Amino acid sequence: MSDEPEKVLVTGATGLVGRHVVEQLRRAGVPVRALTRTPATANLPAEVEVVQGDLTEPAALASAFAGVDRLYLFAVPETAREVVALAHEAGVRRVVVLSAAAVTVGLDTYHHPLVEQAVMDSGLEWTMVRPGEFMTNMLQVWAPSVRAERVVRYPFADQVGVPVHEADVAAVAVAALLQDRHVGAIYTLTGPAQITYRQQVAAIGAALGEEVHYEEVTRERARDLLKAQGGAAAASADMLLGFVDYGGAESTDQAEDHSELLRPWPGVHDATGRPARTFEEWARDHIADFR
């Protein structure tokens, strides 16, 4: 296959990573079709072709695949095989899957593995992109109190992680969509170095040029605060705070070994040839969200 795509279909185009995929493809001069459930509110650039569609309703997706030869696939396990079959029938030749690092270390045995297997079984060219924790996970959790009080109330102040910038996840996906050398590759993605929650909050303060105070509270108190906050923070509170596991079941083993997800992985560098962005860079990129 040539390195030059005819058109790329981006599913989940208004999502955390999808928007970056659309923008990076657009900047590369690649024709993009963006799939979203609500085109009227997509707010994507005018030169991007926006179409309505839902991966949970594959029967209505045939027209979205017309004229497309490459696909960025947001994982929906229940319909993955139907969607991939439609893509194959329509002439799509390459699929890049947004998966999860939890697959690499065996913590996700259902959701993303089903999608990956469907794509691997399809006969299409494929690349798996497996990000770990996103730097932006805490944006909706912390931003309201940072904006209002310059404070973060959260447990686990000195817990380390290696979160990844969402733009780096997109950069790996775009490289895999556009460059033949990534076919058959699996990239596990993290940030460049370990960082604690306390250090993350300090980096947000440095980006703002003001001190942001970290007030450590219990998990129970943090859950109450996030539930009261509403929206995405409330919806994700139980998982973020360890009350439920990755699959949504009640967590009974707080000692589960996540150590392999708490070290830097080289996927961003391996795929793009440059280092992963730091949390300090992420904080500067999102400064408007904390003002």
Side-chain angles (χ1 to χ4, degrees):
M1 179 190 286
S2 166
D3 266 341
E4 293 298 323
E6 298 168 13
K7 181 172 286 188
V8 177
L9 176 64
V10 177
T11 66
T14 59
L16 177 67
V17 177
R19 282 191 180 276
H20 284 278
V21 173
V22 169
E23 178 57 24
Q24 291 178 29
L25 287 170
R26 188 185 69 82
R27 290 203 307 263
V30 176
V32 180
R33 179 177 294 156
L35 186 76
T36 175
R37 286 174 290 187
T38 54
T41 59
N43 194 29
L44 291 169
E47 60 267 37
V48 174
E49 179 189 1
V50 181
V51 297
Q52 197 279 332
D54 189 333
L55 291 178
T56 66
E57 300 176 359
L61 292 178
S63 62
F65 288 115
V68 167
D69 70 335
R70 307 193 190 184
L71 168 65
Y72 168 80
L73 183 61
F74 184 85
V76 177
E78 293 79 7
T79 61
R81 288 194 177 273
E82 294 174 78
V83 169
V84 172
L86 278 170
H88 192 290
E89 184 178 347
V92 172
R93 294 185 288 177
R94 179 177 301 174
V95 182
V96 174
V97 177
L98 181 64
S99 186
V103 180
T104 301
V105 299
L107 293 177
D108 181 357
T109 59
Y110 170 73
H111 188 279
H112 294 94
L114 281 181
V115 179
E116 289 195 7
Q117 195 60 54
V119 173
M120 288 178 177
D121 292 344
S122 69
L124 299 174
E125 297 179 347
W126 56 263
T127 306
M128 304 303 168
V129 178
R130 296 177 174 173
E133 177 189 2
F134 286 94
M135 291 177 180
T136 201
N137 279 359
M138 307 310 292
L139 182 60
Q140 291 172 305
V141 176
W142 291 346
S145 64
V146 172
R147 288 193 296 264
E149 307 174 70
R150 294 295 189 257
V151 66
V152 165
R153 297 180 180 90
Y154 205 69
F156 319 131
D158 297 309
Q159 177 175 301
V160 299
V162 279
V164 63
H165 197 306
E166 64 274 13
D168 279 339
V169 180
V172 173
V174 169
L177 286 165
L178 300 186
Q179 299 168 11
D180 294 346
R181 69 183 183 89
H182 303 289
V183 171
I186 297 174
Y187 294 112
T188 299
L189 311 182
T190 69
Q194 290 183 329
I195 185 171
T196 66
Y197 283 128
R198 191 189 304 277
Q199 290 168 330
Q200 291 178 33
V201 171
I204 293 168
L208 288 167
E210 303 178 40
E211 182 180 359
V212 177
H213 178 64
Y214 196 114
E215 182 181 325
E216 187 154 17
V217 299
T218 65
R219 289 196 307 146
E220 290 75 16
R221 174 60 176 154
R223 179 166 62 177
D224 290 343
L225 290 168
L226 295 183
K227 295 290 187 182
Q229 190 170 302
S236 60
D238 285 345
M239 188 181 74
L240 289 173
L241 297 167
F243 290 101
V244 298
D245 64 20
Y246 186 87
E250 184 176 354
S251 181
T252 57
D253 183 9
Q254 292 300 315
E256 188 176 34
D257 184 12
H258 293 191
S259 59
E260 279 297 284
L261 290 179
L262 299 179
R263 67 171 178 86
W265 287 70
V268 172
H269 183 272
D270 289 350
T272 67
R274 60 164 181 75
R277 293 171 173 90
T278 66
F279 192 90
E280 289 75 14
E281 291 175 275
W282 178 88
R284 292 192 292 271
D285 288 342
H286 288 272
I287 192 169
D289 297 306
F290 294 102
R291 286 290 188 197

